[in-house]
Amino acid sequence: KQSILSKTSKIYLEKCFFFLLSIFSCIQLKHAQELNLDESEMAIIYSSLGSICQDLQQWQESIDYFRREMSCRIGLGSRADVEVFV
């Protein structure tokens, strides 16, 4: 019984962490858009949001963010494959 409670608590805390992280990342995205960051910086933000949504099992949102990331990277040409993901 203790083990099940411990596992459940761990899963709940992880979900809460990723949920809070997604809120913070959306705020970061809003500020990045206001600052008119370049495509490479926006691609990194979209990639991070896609990964967070994937961890939260929000599949459609994850795909949408990864598509936005790829749209940014397409505009980068050959530099796209050397970008570092956060």
Side-chain angles (χ1 to χ4, degrees):
K1 189 173 184 178
Q2 182 75 15
S3 177
I4 293 173
L5 180 60
S6 177
K7 288 179 184 178
T8 304
S9 296
K10 182 180 177 186
I11 291 169
Y12 178 75
L13 287 174
E14 287 174 358
K15 293 288 183 186
C16 286
F17 170 75
F18 284 115
F19 179 72
L20 291 173
L21 187 58
S22 70
I23 291 171
F24 175 76
S25 295
C26 286
I27 292 169
Q28 178 188 19
L29 175 61
K30 181 181 177 194
H31 288 289
Q33 289 169 334
E34 290 171 356
L35 293 172
N36 293 323
L37 296 181
D38 68 29
E39 289 181 336
S40 65
E41 294 169 314
M42 293 303 295
I44 291 169
I45 294 170
Y46 287 134
S47 176
S48 296
L49 284 167
S51 295
I52 291 167
C53 289
Q54 188 174 18
D55 290 335
L56 290 171
Q57 298 180 354
Q58 296 173 344
W59 309 118
Q60 189 57 53
E61 288 181 52
S62 177
I63 290 168
D64 292 343
Y65 283 122
F66 286 132
R67 284 184 178 157
R68 290 180 190 174
E69 174 202 3
M70 290 310 301
S71 293
C72 290
R73 290 189 186 284
I74 288 170
L76 296 176
S78 61
R79 295 185 308 151
D81 25 331
V82 296
E83 287 296 321
V84 177
F85 290 93
V86 177

